[in-house]
Amino acid sequence: MDEFDRVVTQHGPAVWQTICRLLKNREDAADCFQETFVQYVQFAGKTNVDYPLALLKRIATRRAIDWIRKRSTARRKQVPLDEQYPSLEGDAWNGLAAEEFAESLLDALQDIPADQATVFCMTQLEQMDPGQVAAAMGIDARHVAVLLHRARAKLQGRLAKHLPTIRRRS
Amino acid sequence: MNISEKSGDGDILEIATWHLRDSPAIAGPSAELIDRTVAAMRQSPQHKRPWTTISLMAASVLLAIGVAGWLLFRGSGEIAFADVMRQVMQTKSFQARIIQEANGHEPPKSARLSVKGSHGRFDTDDGLIIIADSDSGYSITLDTKAHLACRAFGPLVGNCDIYAELREIASQVPKSIGKKEFNGRMLNGFSGTVTFVKEHAFATVWVDPQTKLPARIELSQKPDRQPESVIDDLKFDVPLDDSLFDMSVPKGYELRSSLLIRAASVRSTTITGRGSTASTMPTIEIPLPNTPAPAPTAQELQNLVLKPGIGIGELKLGDKKEQIEAVLGQPQGAMREGPAELLEYSGKGLILVVNAKSGLQMIMAQGPSTSSKSRMRPFAGTTDKLVRIGSTLSEIEMAYGKDYTVVEMRVENHPEVHDIQLLYQQLGLMAIINKQTNRCDELIVVPPPFVAGPSTQPSP
């Protein structure tokens, strides 16, 4: 087993999960997975990598957001849930609303600076330690907090448009 | 979770985040995908370490011969290596040509390296100029063909402590390998192993017996192999004009946040002056002047009172850029990040984040650790309750109470990066305590509620 085999075997499953959280499509995820490791090799060829998994997750997140951007050239039309499912109630409706929010979050991630989106995904979705995120991003740890703060503010603003739809049901 | 009970924008974000985080996993990756990925990695043209690492080592060896580490070498033969090092130590500048031999992936390349004090300049044959100041850690990369510029503050490559590396070098003993003629000059050779950024390299240093100064250095990654990198035409104490190391953006150049396409091949190239290294990784663009603007006067300081959740002096969060400039004057630097703009007042130690629509969104008052990197003066004002840069935790608690959330920021293997962030979420204030000094190192004012760092988990 050489270095490449080892890296993919050891970290592949975690990287796959990172990508699938964002892409939710096996074919896109497979392409993104391959791109991630090829980019990792190119990066690792230029400098030493102290935290391979953190770097892989950073690359995977960036690549996945790029994939979302690519396939979202035609944005989804926002149809209020009430219009889509006028008779749905209770948990089923809540589940759909959560799904709708998640889709909107994926849309919104492509509208904020890439570094902010990456920090948001790494800390909030991957729940990585801010120190590891800082090391993987090559930035000061406190800058992670600032990027995250900015990301959250922007994402909250983008998602706020869904409030009227929910309130009609409450 | 009853979504209908949620009403805030932040709640929607939490629901969406929670939903994405806990969404069912897709099985994988398949064995076929792993095989395909490994094959793609093997075919990647850059999986070897060509130019960048070698030039990094080459430049670092230049540094190495200029500092005390090599003084500890005990050479033999007609010239003692310690004599060579003493000669080198008396020099103030040098120039050299770094030649990267052709390898299976890339043709030969070369670049001119000029070093004067803490400043270094790297001119590549394909039109890139990289100028770095190892004291400040700042660098600028110029693409002379496309007329693009990129400023950067680079963290040390691979967590490299150059002094630790030199101690490693000093533990080796270079071996005299006799004489050899280069371009009509008979030079004395010394060979040894150097370690840099956790990599071993085999170095041969050829010394001019007349001047007792190195004239040529050959580097290879394996012993008994042709050198992969050669530092040739070494000249010491050449007059180098300061304008060579001018880090301002030349007229007609466009400042970019990164030069990813052309600069990608030199991202890790390190220019070394004496004492430390500065890399040109285009991570954060910080277009700052070389020297900070004048410090505020006592009268100006009276107008620099930070008011948590409100603003600073007569400026209020939400004020537009024009209002800010009317009060604080023109910023010394500005950086655009998406719809926001960062205005830098280097003399006042302030960075203001301004959104085109919502106006002033964040006021960052810098302390010593951030200001030394950015060549800003530390913020000399206070908050409305007299907390200042340098205040202790108990002083902050006495002023604003203990109703704060703590976020600890640390980076493994970087003990110098260990901060405690006190988030007064309802007040709209963050105070960052440097764990090394246990004193306030930065104050940030934002509209409340201030949420930074990892958010609280949504209710299940």
Short mmCIF file of all heavy atoms in Angstrom, two decimals, chain A residues 122-152:
data_model
loop_
_atom_site.label_atom_id
_atom_site.label_comp_id
_atom_site.label_asym_id
_atom_site.label_seq_id
_atom_site.Cartn_x
_atom_site.Cartn_y
_atom_site.Cartn_z
N MET A 122 -17.22 23.81 7.85
CA MET A 122 -16.28 23.03 8.65
C MET A 122 -16.63 23.08 10.13
O MET A 122 -16.50 22.09 10.85
CB MET A 122 -14.85 23.51 8.40
CG MET A 122 -14.37 23.19 6.98
SD MET A 122 -12.76 23.92 6.58
CE MET A 122 -11.64 22.75 7.34
N THR A 123 -17.06 24.25 10.60
CA THR A 123 -17.35 24.36 12.04
C THR A 123 -18.76 23.88 12.38
O THR A 123 -18.97 23.23 13.39
CB THR A 123 -17.18 25.81 12.54
OG1 THR A 123 -18.02 26.66 11.75
CG2 THR A 123 -15.74 26.27 12.43
N GLN A 124 -19.73 24.21 11.52
CA GLN A 124 -21.12 23.93 11.88
C GLN A 124 -21.61 22.57 11.38
O GLN A 124 -22.34 21.89 12.10
CB GLN A 124 -22.03 25.02 11.32
CG GLN A 124 -21.61 26.42 11.71
CD GLN A 124 -21.59 26.62 13.21
OE1 GLN A 124 -22.62 26.60 13.86
NE2 GLN A 124 -20.41 26.80 13.78
N LEU A 125 -21.22 22.18 10.19
CA LEU A 125 -21.68 20.89 9.68
C LEU A 125 -20.72 19.78 10.08
O LEU A 125 -21.14 18.72 10.54
CB LEU A 125 -21.81 20.93 8.16
CG LEU A 125 -22.78 21.97 7.59
CD1 LEU A 125 -22.87 21.87 6.07
CD2 LEU A 125 -24.17 21.82 8.19
N GLU A 126 -19.43 20.04 9.89
CA GLU A 126 -18.45 19.01 10.24
C GLU A 126 -18.11 19.04 11.73
O GLU A 126 -17.48 18.12 12.24
CB GLU A 126 -17.17 19.21 9.43
CG GLU A 126 -17.36 19.03 7.93
CD GLU A 126 -17.85 17.63 7.59
OE1 GLU A 126 -17.27 16.68 8.12
OE2 GLU A 126 -18.82 17.52 6.83
N GLN A 127 -18.48 20.12 12.38
CA GLN A 127 -18.22 20.31 13.81
C GLN A 127 -16.74 20.14 14.14
O GLN A 127 -16.37 19.52 15.14
CB GLN A 127 -19.09 19.36 14.63
CG GLN A 127 -20.57 19.66 14.45
CD GLN A 127 -21.45 18.80 15.31
OE1 GLN A 127 -21.60 17.62 15.05
NE2 GLN A 127 -22.02 19.38 16.33
N MET A 128 -15.91 20.70 13.28
CA MET A 128 -14.48 20.62 13.52
C MET A 128 -14.06 21.69 14.52
O MET A 128 -14.67 22.75 14.62
CB MET A 128 -13.72 20.84 12.19
CG MET A 128 -13.83 19.66 11.24
SD MET A 128 -13.16 20.03 9.61
CE MET A 128 -11.43 20.28 9.98
N ASP A 129 -12.98 21.40 15.22
CA ASP A 129 -12.42 22.32 16.18
C ASP A 129 -11.92 23.57 15.44
O ASP A 129 -11.27 23.45 14.40
CB ASP A 129 -11.25 21.62 16.87
CG ASP A 129 -10.53 22.54 17.81
OD1 ASP A 129 -11.05 22.75 18.90
OD2 ASP A 129 -9.46 23.05 17.44
N PRO A 130 -12.24 24.77 15.95
CA PRO A 130 -11.81 25.99 15.25
C PRO A 130 -10.29 26.04 15.02
O PRO A 130 -9.83 26.58 14.02
CB PRO A 130 -12.26 27.12 16.18
CG PRO A 130 -13.37 26.54 16.97
CD PRO A 130 -13.07 25.08 17.13
N GLY A 131 -9.54 25.47 15.95
CA GLY A 131 -8.09 25.44 15.77
C GLY A 131 -7.68 24.64 14.55
O GLY A 131 -6.79 25.03 13.79
N GLN A 132 -8.35 23.50 14.38
CA GLN A 132 -8.04 22.67 13.20
C GLN A 132 -8.47 23.38 11.92
O GLN A 132 -7.78 23.29 10.90
CB GLN A 132 -8.78 21.34 13.30
CG GLN A 132 -8.06 20.32 14.17
CD GLN A 132 -8.64 18.94 13.94
OE1 GLN A 132 -9.80 18.79 13.57
NE2 GLN A 132 -7.83 17.93 14.18
N VAL A 133 -9.60 24.06 11.99
CA VAL A 133 -10.06 24.81 10.82
C VAL A 133 -9.03 25.88 10.47
O VAL A 133 -8.66 26.05 9.30
CB VAL A 133 -11.44 25.45 11.08
CG1 VAL A 133 -11.87 26.31 9.91
CG2 VAL A 133 -12.48 24.37 11.35
N ALA A 134 -8.55 26.57 11.51
CA ALA A 134 -7.56 27.62 11.27
C ALA A 134 -6.31 27.04 10.62
O ALA A 134 -5.77 27.60 9.67
CB ALA A 134 -7.21 28.32 12.57
N ALA A 135 -5.87 25.89 11.14
CA ALA A 135 -4.66 25.26 10.58
C ALA A 135 -4.88 24.85 9.13
O ALA A 135 -4.03 25.06 8.27
CB ALA A 135 -4.26 24.06 11.43
N ALA A 136 -6.06 24.28 8.87
CA ALA A 136 -6.34 23.82 7.50
C ALA A 136 -6.50 24.99 6.54
O ALA A 136 -6.16 24.89 5.36
CB ALA A 136 -7.59 22.96 7.48
N MET A 137 -7.02 26.09 7.05
CA MET A 137 -7.23 27.25 6.18
C MET A 137 -5.99 28.11 6.06
O MET A 137 -5.92 29.01 5.22
CB MET A 137 -8.37 28.13 6.74
CG MET A 137 -9.70 27.45 6.91
SD MET A 137 -10.66 27.37 5.40
CE MET A 137 -11.10 29.08 5.14
N GLY A 138 -5.02 27.89 6.95
CA GLY A 138 -3.82 28.72 6.92
C GLY A 138 -4.07 30.13 7.41
O GLY A 138 -3.48 31.08 6.94
N ILE A 139 -5.01 30.25 8.37
CA ILE A 139 -5.33 31.58 8.88
C ILE A 139 -5.22 31.58 10.39
O ILE A 139 -5.16 30.53 11.02
CB ILE A 139 -6.75 32.04 8.46
CG1 ILE A 139 -7.81 31.06 8.97
CG2 ILE A 139 -6.83 32.18 6.96
CD1 ILE A 139 -9.24 31.49 8.66
N ASP A 140 -5.21 32.76 10.95
CA ASP A 140 -5.19 32.93 12.39
C ASP A 140 -6.50 32.40 12.97
O ASP A 140 -7.56 32.56 12.37
CB ASP A 140 -5.05 34.42 12.69
CG ASP A 140 -4.76 34.69 14.15
OD1 ASP A 140 -5.65 34.43 14.99
OD2 ASP A 140 -3.66 35.15 14.44
N ALA A 141 -6.41 31.78 14.14
CA ALA A 141 -7.61 31.18 14.72
C ALA A 141 -8.72 32.20 14.94
O ALA A 141 -9.90 31.91 14.76
CB ALA A 141 -7.26 30.51 16.03
N ARG A 142 -8.34 33.41 15.32
CA ARG A 142 -9.41 34.38 15.59
C ARG A 142 -10.10 34.80 14.30
O ARG A 142 -11.24 35.25 14.31
CB ARG A 142 -8.86 35.58 16.36
CG ARG A 142 -8.13 36.58 15.51
CD ARG A 142 -7.47 37.59 16.37
NE ARG A 142 -6.47 36.96 17.20
CZ ARG A 142 -5.84 37.57 18.19
NH1 ARG A 142 -6.12 38.79 18.49
NH2 ARG A 142 -4.93 36.95 18.88
N HIS A 143 -9.40 34.65 13.20
CA HIS A 143 -10.03 35.00 11.93
C HIS A 143 -11.15 34.01 11.60
O HIS A 143 -12.11 34.36 10.91
CB HIS A 143 -8.98 35.02 10.82
CG HIS A 143 -9.44 35.71 9.57
ND1 HIS A 143 -9.75 37.04 9.54
CD2 HIS A 143 -9.66 35.25 8.32
CE1 HIS A 143 -10.14 37.36 8.32
NE2 HIS A 143 -10.10 36.29 7.55
N VAL A 144 -11.02 32.79 12.12
CA VAL A 144 -12.09 31.80 11.92
C VAL A 144 -13.38 32.33 12.52
O VAL A 144 -14.46 32.26 11.91
CB VAL A 144 -11.71 30.45 12.57
CG1 VAL A 144 -12.88 29.49 12.55
CG2 VAL A 144 -10.52 29.84 11.83
N ALA A 145 -13.27 32.87 13.72
CA ALA A 145 -14.47 33.39 14.39
C ALA A 145 -15.07 34.55 13.62
O ALA A 145 -16.29 34.66 13.49
CB ALA A 145 -14.12 33.82 15.81
N VAL A 146 -14.20 35.40 13.11
CA VAL A 146 -14.70 36.55 12.37
C VAL A 146 -15.38 36.08 11.08
O VAL A 146 -16.47 36.54 10.72
CB VAL A 146 -13.55 37.54 12.06
CG1 VAL A 146 -14.03 38.67 11.17
CG2 VAL A 146 -13.00 38.11 13.37
N LEU A 147 -14.74 35.14 10.37
CA LEU A 147 -15.34 34.61 9.14
C LEU A 147 -16.67 33.94 9.44
O LEU A 147 -17.65 34.10 8.71
CB LEU A 147 -14.39 33.59 8.49
CG LEU A 147 -13.14 34.15 7.80
CD1 LEU A 147 -12.25 33.00 7.33
CD2 LEU A 147 -13.53 35.01 6.61
N LEU A 148 -16.68 33.19 10.53
CA LEU A 148 -17.91 32.49 10.89
C LEU A 148 -19.01 33.48 11.24
O LEU A 148 -20.17 33.32 10.84
CB LEU A 148 -17.65 31.54 12.06
CG LEU A 148 -18.84 30.74 12.55
CD1 LEU A 148 -19.39 29.87 11.42
CD2 LEU A 148 -18.46 29.87 13.73
N HIS A 149 -18.61 34.50 11.97
CA HIS A 149 -19.59 35.52 12.34
C HIS A 149 -20.20 36.15 11.10
O HIS A 149 -21.42 36.32 10.99
CB HIS A 149 -18.90 36.59 13.19
CG HIS A 149 -19.77 37.77 13.48
ND1 HIS A 149 -20.84 37.69 14.32
CD2 HIS A 149 -19.74 39.03 13.03
CE1 HIS A 149 -21.44 38.87 14.39
NE2 HIS A 149 -20.78 39.71 13.61
N ARG A 150 -19.33 36.47 10.16
CA ARG A 150 -19.84 37.10 8.94
C ARG A 150 -20.71 36.12 8.15
O ARG A 150 -21.73 36.50 7.58
CB ARG A 150 -18.67 37.55 8.07
CG ARG A 150 -17.87 38.67 8.70
CD ARG A 150 -16.67 39.00 7.86
NE ARG A 150 -15.77 39.86 8.60
CZ ARG A 150 -14.54 40.10 8.25
NH1 ARG A 150 -14.03 39.54 7.17
NH2 ARG A 150 -13.77 40.89 8.96
N ALA A 151 -20.27 34.87 8.11
CA ALA A 151 -21.04 33.86 7.37
C ALA A 151 -22.43 33.72 7.96
O ALA A 151 -23.44 33.72 7.25
CB ALA A 151 -20.30 32.53 7.39
N ARG A 152 -22.50 33.62 9.28
CA ARG A 152 -23.79 33.43 9.93
C ARG A 152 -24.72 34.61 9.68
O ARG A 152 -25.91 34.44 9.39
CB ARG A 152 -23.62 33.23 11.44
CG ARG A 152 -22.99 31.89 11.81
CD ARG A 152 -22.85 31.78 13.32
NE ARG A 152 -24.15 31.77 13.96
CZ ARG A 152 -24.89 30.68 14.16
NH1 ARG A 152 -24.41 29.51 13.79
NH2 ARG A 152 -26.05 30.76 14.72
#
